[in-house]
Amino acid sequence: RWFGRVGSFRRGGDDKQGTGSYLDGGQHPNGRASRPRTSTWERALRTQLSGEQRAKLDKHKSESGKHLMRARTGDQRHCWDQPGGNLFPLRSRNYLRDRKKTKSSVPPLYTLKSVDFFKCDAKVCHIAQRLKLPSTETIPEDCPIPPLLVVNWQAPYYPAKLFGGKEGYDGPGIIVVAVYALREGFIAEEEVEAGRLFPHTLDLLKRFCADATEADKTPTRDRLKMIPAMPNLDDWCATGTFGRAEQALLRRFQNKPMLCRPQVKYFVGPEYLEVDVDIHLYKYAVRRYFHSLKQHIKHAVLDLAFTLEGRDAEQLPEQVIASIRLQKVDFMVDFPKVPPLPPPPALA
C-alpha cells in the first residue's frame, strides 16, 4: 500500500503548482513523481539516499533558522524558545477515573532546533523538502521513530470568508515552520529506562508514524492534539489593544487541548515526518478573530505543546512530544518568501 489512509498526499506534495517531487525533496523535471509516495514513515526510508546525495541536495536548500533567533532573556521580543513539559496540563495516569490533569516534569521528547516565518501567496505544503535540516548522524539507523519532526502552521492573512468559494480557503498568508530533533545519540530503550520516554508513548508514536489504526477503529493520527497556553494573557489583555470578545475567545482557548484533525496533512522524508496544520480551514469565527488579532500578537507570549491523546488506561499518562514558544513575535513583519524547491538528485 503506497498511499496513506488520511489522504495527505497530493501530487508533488509541495505547493499549488501540482508538480511531482522526489522522496528526498527533489522535483522531477517533467513534474511527475519519481516513485509512488506515502505519508507513512518507516526507518527503512533512512537508507533511500546516500550521504553524498544528501550533501548535494543540501547545497540547493535554504538554511533553516536564519530569520528568527532563540530567546536569550525572558523579556526579549521577536524570538522563539522551547517551554518545558511542566507548563501544560496533561491527562494523568488515573484520568479515566478521576478526570484530573497534571503537569509533567518529563521534558519534551523532541528538542526545538529552529523556527522560521515565510510569507506566501498561497498555502505551501511539505516545506521540509525546501530546507536544509539538522544532521541526524548521531541517531542510530534502527531508531523506531523519525529523528526529525517538522511542523508547518499555515496561517491566512486575507479577511475571513464565510464560504470558501470556487478556489476554496486559500490565499496570501504566512507559514510558521518549527524543526525538531531527537536528542543526540538517542536510543529509545535507554530513553525509556531513564524515564524520559514512557513505553506507551513510544508504542503510540510508532503507530502514529505507521499511520496505524487503534482498537476503536480510528486512525492513530486522529489522536494528535495541540495544547495552547499564553503565560502573559492577563498582561496582554490589559494593553487594551482588542475588545472583550477577543479576550473571551483567548481565555476560552487557554490550556484547552484541541485535536489537529481534520485540518492536517502529513509528509515524510528519509529523516523526518512533517505535520502541516492548515489554519485556513479552521472555523470561520477563529479565522475572523485571528485576522483581527494578528497585528497585536507582538504583545503576546504564545506557547504550544503537541501530545498524543491517551484514551485507554494503558496509554496514560500523556507526554509532551514537542513544544514551542513564540515570544512577542511581530506577525506584521515583512518575512522572506518561501524558499524554492531543490533540483532532483540527478541534477543536483
Side-chain angles (χ1 to χ4, degrees):
R1 186 194 66 165
W2 288 105
F3 289 91
R5 185 168 40 255
V6 296
S8 63
F9 171 72
R10 289 191 176 192
R11 188 172 181 84
D14 47 50
D15 54 23
K16 300 292 287 184
Q17 299 170 357
T19 54
S21 63
Y22 283 82
L23 181 66
D24 50 51
Q27 185 179 346
H28 195 285
N30 63 10
R32 295 175 304 185
S34 62
R35 52 163 291 173
R37 296 286 303 276
T38 175
S39 68
T40 299
W41 187 89
E42 53 189 26
R43 53 191 172 194
L45 289 177
R46 298 188 69 191
T47 63
Q48 295 292 319
L49 282 179
S50 68
E52 184 180 353
Q53 285 176 312
R54 291 177 192 171
K56 284 184 178 180
L57 276 173
D58 280 348
K59 291 179 181 178
H60 301 275
K61 294 184 179 182
S62 176
E63 290 279 352
S64 58
K66 286 174 61 177
H67 308 290
L68 202 66
M69 299 296 108
R70 184 164 192 168
R72 292 187 294 272
T73 62
D75 59 352
Q76 188 176 348
R77 290 181 171 273
H78 203 67
C79 54
W80 63 269
D81 207 345
Q82 182 166 29
N86 61 332
L87 298 180
F88 304 94
L90 303 168
R91 292 187 176 188
S92 63
R93 187 179 301 277
N94 299 318
Y95 176 81
L96 298 181
R97 261 201 331 258
D98 57 26
R99 297 315 225 192
K100 289 184 178 179
K101 294 184 178 182
T102 58
K103 295 182 178 181
S104 174
S105 60
V106 179
L109 179 62
Y110 282 88
T111 300
L112 184 55
K113 292 295 186 180
S114 66
V115 177
D116 285 290
F117 280 58
F118 298 109
K119 65 181 179 182
C120 46
D121 296 325
K123 289 183 283 191
V124 176
C125 297
H126 200 177
I127 188 64
Q129 62 185 337
R130 301 166 183 256
L131 300 175
K132 185 177 179 181
L133 300 174
S135 171
T136 59
E137 290 181 352
T138 66
I139 309 297
E141 282 197 2
D142 62 352
C143 184
I145 56 178
L148 302 176
L149 173 67
V150 178
V151 183
N152 174 15
W153 289 274
Q154 303 165 339
Y157 267 30
Y158 52 90
K161 304 172 186 176
L162 190 56
F163 302 104
K166 211 172 184 183
E167 299 299 321
Y169 295 104
D170 201 356
I174 61 166
I175 59 174
V176 182
V177 183
V179 177
Y180 299 87
L182 294 173
R183 285 179 280 277
E184 288 192 11
F186 179 95
I187 297 177
E189 294 78 9
E190 293 181 2
E191 296 295 314
V192 170
E193 289 178 12
R196 293 188 293 264
L197 174 60
F198 299 144
H200 56 271
T201 301
L202 177 60
D203 290 339
L204 266 177
L205 268 172
K206 289 178 182 177
R207 296 199 296 277
F208 176 81
C209 295
D211 194 12
T213 300
E214 296 297 309
D216 61 2
K217 309 299 183 185
T218 61
T220 309
R221 288 182 175 174
D222 280 5
R223 302 193 176 196
L224 182 67
K225 63 183 181 182
M226 301 182 290
I227 306 174
M230 292 157 277
N232 74 331
L233 180 56
D234 290 337
D235 293 338
W236 188 20
C237 291
T239 61
T241 52
F242 47 85
R244 291 183 179 179
E246 288 85 356
Q247 292 185 33
L249 181 73
L250 291 171
R251 295 190 188 281
R252 196 174 119 210
F253 279 103
Q254 179 80 305
N255 291 323
K256 183 179 179 180
M258 59 183 89
L259 292 170
C260 292
R261 66 164 179 85
Q263 301 91 355
V264 65
K265 298 175 185 175
Y266 297 91
F267 301 91
V268 297
E271 307 289 338
Y272 64 83
L273 174 69
E274 177 174 325
V275 181
D276 285 11
V277 181
D278 191 349
I279 302 172
H280 293 253
L281 299 181
Y282 276 26
K283 291 182 179 179
Y284 170 73
V286 176
R287 289 182 283 117
R288 181 164 64 88
Y289 282 124
F290 174 77
H291 187 70
S292 64
L293 282 172
K294 66 180 186 295
Q295 60 186 319
H296 306 300
I297 295 177
K298 62 184 178 182
H299 301 296
V301 177
L302 305 177
D303 288 353
L304 194 72
F306 283 95
T307 187
L308 291 171
E309 187 169 78
R311 299 179 184 174
D312 303 316
E314 297 77 19
Q315 298 170 345
L316 296 171
E318 293 176 336
Q319 180 174 355
V320 172
I321 305 301
S323 65
I324 183 174
R325 168 171 291 174
L326 298 179
Q327 191 163 299
K328 299 182 178 179
V329 174
D330 187 350
F331 275 52
M332 304 308 292
V333 164
D334 186 22
F335 293 107
K337 291 184 178 180
V338 172
L341 281 164
L347 303 179

